[in-house]
């Protein structure tokens, strides 16, 4: 029987879900059904949610885990009436912080993920637009504006990593696919002309060929593109190029996008324009 975990917020629910998933990920042997419930910002919504939580408890035969970032005290009081093991993130941390800082919290709903400073918000938007405009080698003439250029074979994670870097850190990331068009006469990969002058910005991604073949098979089943032999050849050529040109790279096979991005930032020393939210 699985147990249900609720991440509850009167805002987006991003903070409750992020922290909750991080905590629960430490318990690999426990089967959990995780549900995020954002914008529980009225008493009626809270009462309806209590009914849902009560139903989950009856179905599972175990009390749910309830992790919330509810600010409004009256709504929190309703949530407290639900059966479950409760972790109230704000009351757990805000009270000690108020005591330490000698002042009261503003208890403002949605403070973490609001637009806040317009410059930061617009920088985030511009970075995302840059990643989209410079996806898959689309506009190499803009590489002088890039903070980093991700390179690698098709379907190794370049696009999602570029977008994550933009959205979470404001890093202007372009990406360029290494293809057979970049092969030298001897069959080895050469550094494309568009990348040569930006060599100091390059960061490589690689992936286990078997995993790459499985990903490509979903897109083009039973094709040369998705064959294991083709994937092995492309990955070996890409890694050979990285070593030859002393381009730093990371194997994306077992890492999440978050891990790929933060490891890359740590290794390259890239400057974040803002902290993740």
């Amino acid at each position: 029987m699985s147990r249900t975990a609720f991440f509850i917020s009167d805002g987006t629910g991003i903070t409750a879900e992020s922290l909750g998933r991080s905590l629960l990920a430490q318990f690999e042997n426990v089967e959990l059904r995780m549900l995020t419930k954002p914008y529980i910002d009225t008493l009626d919504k809270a009462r309806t949610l209590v009914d849902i939580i009560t139903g989950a408890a009856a179905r599972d035969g175990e009390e749910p885990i309830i992790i919330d970032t509810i600010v409004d005290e009256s709504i929190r009081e309703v949530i407290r009436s639900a059966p479950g093991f409760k972790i109230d993130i704000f009351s757990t941390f805000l009270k000690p912080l108020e005591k330490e800082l000698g002042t009261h919290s503003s208890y403002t709903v949605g403070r973490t993920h609001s637009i806040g400073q317009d410059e930061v918000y617009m920088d985030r938007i511009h970075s995302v637009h840059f990643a989209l405009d410079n996806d898959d080698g689309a506009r190499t003439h803009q590489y002088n504006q890039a903070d980093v250029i991700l390179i690698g074979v098709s379907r190794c994670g370049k696009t999602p990593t570029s977008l994550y870097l933009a959205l979470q850190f404001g890093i202007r990331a372009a990406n360029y696919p290494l293809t057979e068009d970049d092969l030298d006469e001897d069959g080895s990969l050469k550094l494309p002309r568009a990348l040569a002058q930006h060599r100091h910005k390059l960061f490589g991604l690689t992936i286990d060929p078997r995993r790459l073949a499985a990903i490509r098979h979903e897109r083009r089943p039973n094709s040369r593109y998705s064959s294991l032999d083709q994937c092995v050849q492309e990955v070996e050529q890409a890694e050979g190029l990285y070593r030859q040109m002393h381009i730093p790279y990371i194997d994306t096979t077992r890492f999440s996008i978050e891990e790929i991005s933060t490891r890359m930032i740590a290794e390259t020393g890239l400057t974040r324009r803002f902290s993740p939210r």
Side-chain angles (χ1 to χ4, degrees):
M1 295 288 288
S2 65
R3 192 168 180 176
T4 305
F6 288 91
F7 309 129
I8 306 169
S9 175
D10 40 18
T12 63
I14 294 173
T15 301
E17 180 177 358
S18 298
L19 181 56
R21 286 184 178 274
S22 295
L23 292 171
L24 295 174
Q26 306 305 313
F27 302 93
E28 298 177 0
N29 296 326
V30 180
E31 184 179 348
L32 292 166
R33 188 168 65 103
M34 303 184 193
L35 300 175
T36 302
K37 299 294 183 181
Y39 299 111
I40 306 301
D41 49 10
T42 68
L43 293 176
D44 285 342
K45 289 181 181 179
R47 294 186 188 105
T48 299
L49 180 56
V50 168
D51 291 340
I52 294 172
I53 295 171
T54 303
R59 181 188 63 248
D60 296 344
E62 294 276 0
E63 290 192 339
I65 306 295
I66 300 172
I67 299 175
D68 79 82
T69 54
I70 299 291
V71 172
D72 187 283
E73 179 61 35
S74 61
I75 295 176
R76 288 200 344 238
E77 193 63 36
V78 173
I79 298 298
R80 287 193 193 104
S81 69
F85 176 80
K86 303 174 184 70
I87 301 175
D88 184 338
I89 295 174
F90 277 178
S91 67
T92 299
F93 295 107
L94 282 182
K95 292 298 183 184
L97 277 172
E98 287 178 335
K99 184 177 180 180
E100 177 64 26
L101 297 174
T103 185
H104 290 291
S105 163
S106 64
Y107 289 88
T108 304
V109 176
R111 184 79 173 177
T112 306
H113 301 284
S114 62
I115 290 179
Q117 299 175 347
D118 288 344
E119 289 183 9
V120 171
Y121 182 77
M122 293 310 298
D123 210 5
R124 186 188 304 272
I125 297 302
H126 290 323
S127 297
V128 171
H129 284 169
F130 183 87
L132 292 171
D133 287 344
N134 291 275
D135 183 44
D136 236 16
R139 299 186 179 182
T140 58
H141 65 277
Q142 293 185 351
Y143 283 179
N144 61 313
Q145 302 172 38
D147 298 317
V148 65
I149 305 169
L150 302 181
I151 60 174
V153 301
S154 172
R155 311 300 288 180
C156 69
K158 300 184 300 300
T159 296
T161 302
S162 297
L163 288 170
Y164 185 85
L165 288 167
L167 186 61
Q168 291 295 318
F169 304 112
I171 290 173
R172 287 169 172 72
N175 73 78
Y176 187 99
L178 298 174
T179 68
E180 291 182 336
D181 293 338
D182 302 312
L183 289 177
D184 214 335
E185 292 180 359
D186 62 358
S188 60
L189 272 177
K190 60 183 178 181
L191 195 64
R193 182 178 300 177
L195 301 179
Q197 61 181 318
H198 303 291
R199 185 170 159 183
H200 62 290
K201 296 182 179 182
L202 301 182
F203 192 91
L205 300 184
T206 188
I207 188 172
D208 181 84
R210 290 177 295 276
R211 174 62 179 153
L212 179 61
I215 294 171
R216 289 183 173 184
H217 183 76
E218 294 179 3
R219 190 177 188 186
R220 296 184 198 168
N222 303 316
S223 65
R224 176 172 173 268
Y225 170 77
S226 62
S227 70
L228 181 57
D229 286 345
Q230 179 68 19
C231 292
V232 168
Q233 178 181 325
E234 290 186 29
V235 169
E236 287 180 348
Q237 289 171 337
E239 291 182 1
L241 176 67
Y242 301 154
R243 289 189 291 268
Q244 177 188 348
M245 305 300 293
H246 303 289
I247 297 168
Y249 68 96
I250 188 172
D251 188 333
T252 66
T253 307
R254 293 176 180 82
F255 291 141
S256 65
I257 294 170
E258 295 86 347
E259 290 173 306
I260 296 167
S261 301
T262 51
R263 284 172 180 269
M264 190 197 74
I265 291 172
E267 185 168 337
T268 61
L270 276 171
T271 301
R272 308 179 185 193
R273 286 190 171 82
F274 44 74
S275 298
R277 312 182 78 169

